[in-house]
């Protein structure tokens, strides 16, 4: 198994200008870990852990509903955990009543295979963080191949972004990477 770890290198003030601090914005991504495990048949499993802190009530209103979009023809999605982390450290899990699914029509367009899981974060206010862990099992979009693209939000300060990619040793790996540095590259048995 080949293992590759990439870390995002963004200037921490990219979204706020040269003289402002990150807390002058509404939110900050404090952790994003994207783990991808590719199988011999090119199917793959992803596990994503996101933690986002909000600084203002406007940020809390905008992030109090946490959407997860996916194509149900190619993916099965599950939410492993979702919670509000209060400023004082208390953790409040999203209850079953705070999880809603919507299929087909999202906003201005309709796609029969599109699905949205919408998480309503409980008691989410300025100073709190949202933490979500999600897992998907995915079919390859093109048989006999695997591809993955990730584009960070450049208007959002991100403290810790990692992409971990595990692929079978026999799989040829080609990458086009901008803004990330390779931290670890190993082959294990």
């Amino acid at each position: 198994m080949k293992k590759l770890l990439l870390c995002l290198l963004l200037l921490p003030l990219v979204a706020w200008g040269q003289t402002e601090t990150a807390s002058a914005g509404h939110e900050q991504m404090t952790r994003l870990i994207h783990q991808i495990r590719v199988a011999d048949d090119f199917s793959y499993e992803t596990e994503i852990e996101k933690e986002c802190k909000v600084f203002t009530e406007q940020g809390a209103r905008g992030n109090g509903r946490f959407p997860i979009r996916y194509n149900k023809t190619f993916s099965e999605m599950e939410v492993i955990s979702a919670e509000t982390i209060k400023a004082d450290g208390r953790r409040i899990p999203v209850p079953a009543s705070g999880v809603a699914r919507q299929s087909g029509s999202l906003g201005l367009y309709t796609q029969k295979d599109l699905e949205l899981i919408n998480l309503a974060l409980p008691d989410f206010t300025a100073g709190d963080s949202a933490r979500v862990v999600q897992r998907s099992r995915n079919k390859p979009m093109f048989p006999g191949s695997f591809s993955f693209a990730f584009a960070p939000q450049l208007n959002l300060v991100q403290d810790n972004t990692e992409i971990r990619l595990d692929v079978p040793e026999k799989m040829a790996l080609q990458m086009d990477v901008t803004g990330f540095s390779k931290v670890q590259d190993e082959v294990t048995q």
Side-chain angles (χ1 to χ4, degrees), residues 18-36:
Q18 296 293 338
T19 59
E20 299 179 55
T21 64
S23 60
H26 299 293
E27 65 181 299
Q28 179 175 349
M29 183 71 67
T30 55
R31 183 172 175 86
L32 176 60
I33 308 295
H34 199 130
Q35 173 77 42
I36 306 154

Side-chain angles (χ1 to χ4, degrees), residues 24-181:
H26 299 293
E27 65 181 299
Q28 179 175 349
M29 183 71 67
T30 55
R31 183 172 175 86
L32 176 60
I33 308 295
H34 199 130
Q35 173 77 42
I36 306 154
R37 291 175 205 88
V38 182
D40 287 334
D41 66 355
F42 298 99
S43 64
Y44 59 100
E45 181 177 286
T46 64
E47 187 166 305
I48 301 172
E49 177 185 347
K50 296 179 184 180
E51 191 168 316
C52 184
K53 182 173 182 147
V54 295
F55 299 105
T56 64
E57 286 305 321
Q58 182 177 351
R61 281 191 306 277
N63 291 285
R65 291 214 174 268
F66 196 97
I68 300 171
R69 292 176 178 83
Y70 66 100
N71 183 312
K72 62 186 177 183
T73 296
F74 293 103
S75 302
E76 297 173 15
M77 181 68 68
E78 67 178 308
V79 176
I80 305 300
S81 64
E83 63 188 351
T84 297
I85 303 173
K86 299 298 290 175
D88 64 8
R90 289 180 293 125
R91 295 175 180 262
I92 306 171
V94 172
S97 62
V99 180
R101 288 185 179 260
Q102 179 182 350
S103 292
S105 179
L106 302 176
L108 299 175
Y109 57 94
T110 300
Q111 288 183 329
K112 67 181 180 89
D113 298 336
L114 192 60
E115 185 150 308
L116 173 77
I117 301 172
N118 204 2
L119 306 171
L121 298 165
D123 192 22
F124 195 63
T125 60
D128 294 344
S129 294
R131 182 177 177 277
V132 175
V133 179
Q134 64 195 62
R135 181 180 301 138
S136 65
R137 288 168 194 78
N138 310 279
K139 300 176 197 173
M141 189 171 286
F142 303 104
S145 68
F146 163 79
S147 65
F148 169 75
F150 173 77
Q153 293 176 273
L154 295 179
N155 62 342
L156 177 64
V157 173
Q158 298 179 31
D159 285 344
N160 179 10
T161 298
E162 296 180 11
I163 297 175
R164 300 174 183 169
L165 179 61
D166 293 350
V167 298
E169 186 176 348
K170 66 181 181 180
M171 189 178 289
L173 186 60
Q174 298 176 6
M175 295 187 313
D176 184 11
V177 179
T178 303
F180 282 82
S181 66

